Amino acid sequence: MREADIRRLLAANLLSALAVVLAALLPAFFLDGFSVLGTHLTWLCVCSVCVATLNIILHLVLKPNQSHKRRSFAHKISRFLKCCIYFFMSCILFHAIIVLYGAPLIESVTETFLFAVLLSTFTTLQCLCLLGPNIQAWIRVFSKNGAMSIWESSLQITSMCSILGAWFGAFPIPLDWDRPWQVWPISCSLGATFGYMAGLIIAPLWIHWNRKQLTYKSR
């Protein structure tokens, strides 16, 4: 494992974290009354778009999982359409899971779906960029000792941190504090965002710390 690869991963993750910060700060200069809490749905859209755009650009530039096989234009179009379908299905699946965990079924449908889009951006989109629409590869990566590169290890950590952050973010909602950030789904989306950013920082540090023990084998 080369130090240069870890530095590339760290740089990419720091850029992704910066995209989240800019999504919270820059829109205030262009949109009147914009704030993460006050116009939370707008922020959910802006954050999802910023993170998704940067992840796609980083994947195209860094090419962490580049295949040596030449693909036809038709294959690339088919792959792109499959990725779009998988992402939409992920949003629907996250929406259903969130409802099963207690989110309003009829009320706040828009809020719940946009939160599901944010979670999909933090998790599924990264899988699609790195692994493509390959469910078997996804299962392999998220199984024990399934990662074959530092990028896949980072994918494991950031995805788990995002979901755990969203889960922990739900704890304050039923408490009788009457705070503005307890409105659904603000605390959950903020928890997922902080979890995602924590994962982006933890992943390269954990990989660097355990680089002597990590041995990636081709499968």
Side-chain angles (χ1 to χ4, degrees):
M1 186 186 305
R2 296 180 301 175
E3 289 291 332
D5 293 332
I6 299 178
R7 287 196 293 268
R8 287 176 67 204
L9 175 64
L10 177 61
N13 286 8
L14 289 178
L15 285 174
S16 297
L18 180 62
V20 176
V21 175
L22 293 179
L25 299 178
L26 285 184
F29 294 99
F30 305 99
L31 301 175
D32 293 334
F34 176 87
S35 69
V36 173
L37 298 183
T39 54
H40 192 66
L41 296 186
T42 304
W43 176 78
L44 284 174
C45 297
V46 172
C47 186
S48 298
V49 170
C50 289
V51 172
T53 302
L54 183 64
N55 275 333
I56 293 171
I57 292 174
L58 288 174
H59 173 72
L60 293 175
V61 172
L62 298 176
K63 298 178 180 179
N65 200 19
Q66 184 179 14
S67 174
H68 297 289
K69 296 180 180 179
R70 290 190 175 183
R71 306 293 187 180
S72 65
F73 180 74
H75 180 273
K76 292 179 180 178
I77 293 297
S78 174
R79 181 185 175 93
F80 173 75
L81 293 177
K82 284 183 179 180
C83 288
C84 293
I85 293 172
Y86 277 39
F87 183 79
F88 179 73
M89 290 173 60
S90 170
C91 295
I92 298 297
L93 179 60
F94 270 123
H95 186 104
I97 292 173
I98 293 167
V99 169
L100 290 175
Y101 269 89
L105 177 60
I106 304 299
E107 299 177 356
S108 305
V109 172
T110 303
E111 289 84 347
T112 303
F113 184 74
L114 289 178
F115 174 45
V117 171
L118 185 73
L119 272 180
S120 295
T121 304
F122 290 158
T123 56
T124 306
L125 182 69
Q126 291 190 93
C127 292
L128 291 171
C129 287
L130 187 63
L131 306 172
N134 186 343
I135 298 297
Q136 291 182 345
W138 296 16
I139 295 173
R140 189 244 322 148
V141 168
F142 289 99
S143 62
K144 185 178 180 180
N145 300 322
M148 293 169 50
S149 68
I150 61 174
W151 300 93
E152 293 182 358
S153 293
S154 178
L155 173 63
Q156 290 176 335
I157 294 171
T158 53
S159 296
M160 289 188 291
C161 285
S162 300
I163 294 174
L164 286 175
W167 185 62
F168 282 116
F171 288 175
I173 292 179
L175 301 177
D176 189 20
W177 292 348
D178 196 25
R179 301 293 184 182
W181 49 266
Q182 287 180 278
V183 177
W184 173 256
I186 294 178
S187 63
C188 288
S189 56
L190 291 180
T193 304
F194 287 129
Y196 173 67
M197 294 180 68
L200 290 172
I201 297 171
I202 292 171
L205 296 179
W206 182 85
I207 291 169
H208 176 76
W209 185 265
N210 295 278
R211 64 189 184 282
K212 295 182 179 179
Q213 289 77 31
L214 292 174
T215 55
Y216 297 114
K217 298 180 179 179
S218 300
R219 288 174 173 83

